[in-house]
């Protein structure tokens, strides 16, 4: 996969054959990221391959030597693989962008969304964490409001697509929908078919939803609710900000949606807030009376915001936010981080491809 005209980066992708890995390779091509040689690694499944620039490339088994031969490695695999490899790899001088949750809350690791806190990047910190895909929309939409008015509290409810739970969950969802289709309406408009117990998720998801994304802790919060709260605090640099979260899985293939309520320290009216959002990088504000949906924004890289309105309090704003969990919530965000490293001159080819 070398470019004979110029040297490029040796780019490793751990989890290249997975849902996010495949999207990541598409983003490389679409944004002309300077890949001189692609080194795809599997995350456990034998015989996996990656499609890049029209060629099928076999995924290699993860190895220290293989990873250290790269200039930058993107981890889009499991927490366990990242914990085993990422820190030592960065310590050896390789740039690492990790999309797992392994290091997001580590005080020594920058957790970065470029439109929000690119200043957290440093030439000395080669291990960089990408955020949870659910909170990305809230972080980007909230950033211009935070800079102008400050926050005193945030509440949000998420409506999360099945693809956020991974390939097995998505396959199970499609299987359930195929099972349901011929049965719908045969006995009555209100009848819902019974489904077998779910293996990939806590409940069947076809024609259903449930308020559990991750295991519950002793306080009754799900793992996702904890991640959203703590990662938003870190990204916004507001460690004590009161944040309430309810995370819900819904029968949507792609894109996470958020109902977001923000209490600002300085009151700002909805029209002024719309002006701030309209000018914000990486964000598309929808016109009044219109709003984004997962079906309308899937495959786009922006964070989409609609229904900006006054909350119950004078200093409260309500927003509806939708973003593609596989793009801005994962693959695109990682590539944007790498592009900043290139722009600053920190990331350079060390190998002739």
């Amino acid at each position: 996969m070398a470019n004979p005209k110029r040297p490029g980066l040796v780019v490793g992708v751990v989890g290249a054959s997975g849902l996010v890995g495949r999207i990541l390779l598409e983003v490389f091509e679409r944004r002309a990221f300077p890949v001189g040689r692609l080194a795809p690694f599997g995350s456990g499944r034998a015989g996996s391959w990656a499609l890049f620039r029209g060629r099928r490339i076999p995924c290699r088994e993860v190895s220290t030597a293989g990873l250290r031969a790269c200039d930058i490695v993107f981890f889009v695999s499991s927490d366990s693989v990242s914990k085993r490899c990422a820190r030592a790899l960065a310590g050896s001088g390789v740039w690492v962008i990790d999309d797992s949750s392994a290091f997001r809350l580590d005080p020594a690791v920058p957790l970065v969304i470029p439109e929000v806190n690119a200043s957290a990047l440093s030439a000395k910190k080669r291990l960089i964490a990408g955020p949870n895909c659910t909170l990305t929309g809230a972080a980007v939409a909230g950033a211009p409001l935070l800079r102008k008015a400050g926050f005193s509290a945030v509440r949000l409810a998420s409506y999360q697509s099945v693809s956020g739970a991974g390939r097995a969950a998505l396959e199970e969802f499609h299987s359930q929908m195929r099972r349901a289709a011929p049965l719908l309406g045969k006995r009555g408009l209100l009848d819902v078919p019974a489904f077998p117990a779910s293996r990939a998720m806590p409940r069947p998801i076809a024609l259903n939803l449930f308020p559990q994304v991750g295991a519950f802790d002793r306080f009754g919060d799900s793992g996702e609710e904890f991640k959203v709260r703590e990662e938003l605090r870190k990204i916004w640099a507001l460690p004590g900000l009161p944040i309430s979260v309810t995370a819900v899985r819904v029968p949507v293939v792609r894109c996470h949606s958020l109902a977001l309520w923000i209490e600002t320290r300085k009151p700002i009216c909805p029209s002024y807030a719309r002006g701030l959002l309209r000018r914000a990088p990486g964000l598309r504000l929808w016109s009044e009376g219109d709003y984004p949906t997962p079906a309308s924004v899937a495959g786009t890289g922006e964070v989409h915001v609609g229904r900006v309105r006054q909350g119950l309090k004078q200093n409260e704003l309500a927003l509806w936010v939708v973003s593609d969990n596989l793009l801005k919530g994962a693959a695109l965000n990682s590539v944007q981080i790498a592009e900043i490293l290139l722009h600053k001159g920190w990331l350079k080819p060390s190998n002739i491809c």
Side-chain angles (χ1 to χ4, degrees), residues 65-87:
L67 293 173
R68 288 187 176 178
C70 300
D71 299 306
I72 183 169
V73 176
F74 295 81
F75 281 81
V76 287
S77 183
S78 65
D79 289 4
S80 60
V81 173
S82 294
K83 288 177 180 178
R84 189 172 75 245
C85 305
R87 194 187 296 275

Side-chain angles (χ1 to χ4, degrees), residues 22-346:
R22 294 189 179 192
I23 298 291
L24 182 66
L25 301 187
E26 293 174 7
V27 175
F28 287 159
E29 294 195 53
R30 188 161 60 247
R31 295 176 73 91
F33 190 74
V35 179
R37 179 169 64 84
L38 179 70
F41 297 89
S43 53
R45 193 171 55 170
S48 60
W49 52 270
L51 180 64
F52 186 61
R53 293 175 180 163
R55 292 183 56 190
R56 288 167 59 114
I57 311 171
C59 291
R60 302 154 59 187
E61 184 177 349
V62 174
S63 68
T64 300
L67 293 173
R68 288 187 176 178
C70 300
D71 299 306
I72 183 169
V73 176
F74 295 81
F75 281 81
V76 287
S77 183
S78 65
D79 289 4
S80 60
V81 173
S82 294
K83 288 177 180 178
R84 189 172 75 245
C85 305
R87 194 187 296 275
L89 182 62
S92 73
V94 177
W95 284 98
V96 175
I97 300 178
D98 179 32
D99 198 52
S100 81
S101 64
F103 302 102
R104 290 174 184 158
L105 298 181
D106 187 324
V109 177
L111 175 62
V112 176
I113 299 176
E115 296 91 338
V116 182
N117 65 335
S119 60
L121 295 170
S122 166
K124 298 180 180 180
K125 296 184 176 181
R126 298 208 168 199
L127 173 57
I128 303 161
N132 178 285
C133 55
T134 305
L135 64 88
T136 303
V140 173
L145 306 176
L146 173 62
R147 295 183 187 113
K148 191 66 180 180
F151 291 169
S152 55
V154 170
R155 293 178 291 130
L156 69 87
S158 69
Y159 307 90
Q160 300 178 217
S161 65
V162 180
S163 59
R167 182 191 297 273
L170 203 55
E171 291 174 346
E172 189 171 78
F173 171 51
H174 284 294
S175 175
Q176 291 169 3
M177 290 299 295
R178 287 192 296 270
R179 177 187 177 92
L183 302 176
L184 290 176
K186 286 198 171 182
R187 290 174 293 172
L189 292 176
L190 296 179
D191 288 336
V192 176
F195 296 104
S198 179
R199 295 183 177 181
M201 288 178 286
R203 300 284 193 278
I205 188 61
L207 309 178
N208 196 24
L209 58 80
F210 45 82
Q212 181 182 0
V213 183
F216 294 123
D217 64 19
R218 62 190 180 93
F219 302 106
D221 289 331
S222 71
E224 191 81 350
E225 290 158 354
F226 173 83
K227 292 175 187 177
V228 169
R229 181 178 64 247
E230 297 305 320
E231 290 179 35
L232 275 176
R233 286 172 171 170
K234 182 175 179 178
I235 289 168
W236 283 337
L238 295 172
L241 179 67
I243 300 178
S244 299
V245 186
T246 297
V248 182
R249 186 75 69 189
V250 296
V252 169
V253 170
R254 185 170 177 173
C255 292
H256 293 346
S257 304
L258 306 173
L260 181 62
W261 294 266
I262 296 174
E263 292 184 28
T264 56
R265 294 193 176 278
K266 299 177 183 178
I268 55 175
C269 66
S271 61
Y272 187 79
R274 290 188 196 100
L276 295 173
L277 294 167
R278 190 173 292 111
R279 297 187 295 273
L283 188 150
R284 179 189 166 189
L285 177 68
W286 287 55
S287 60
E288 293 186 58
D290 200 2
Y291 49 83
T293 66
S296 63
V297 310
T300 65
E302 303 95 341
V303 170
H304 297 257
V305 180
R307 300 202 64 203
V308 180
R309 63 199 193 278
Q310 191 77 51
L312 290 177
K313 300 178 182 179
Q314 184 66 26
N315 66 329
E316 184 181 62
L317 291 168
L319 301 85
W320 175 251
V321 182
V322 186
S323 58
D324 191 314
N325 56 299
L326 301 177
L327 275 170
K328 186 55 190 166
L332 175 59
N333 194 78
S334 294
V335 175
Q336 289 173 318
I337 292 171
E339 288 171 343
I340 293 174
L341 303 180
L342 282 167
H343 179 73
K344 289 182 175 292
W346 299 340

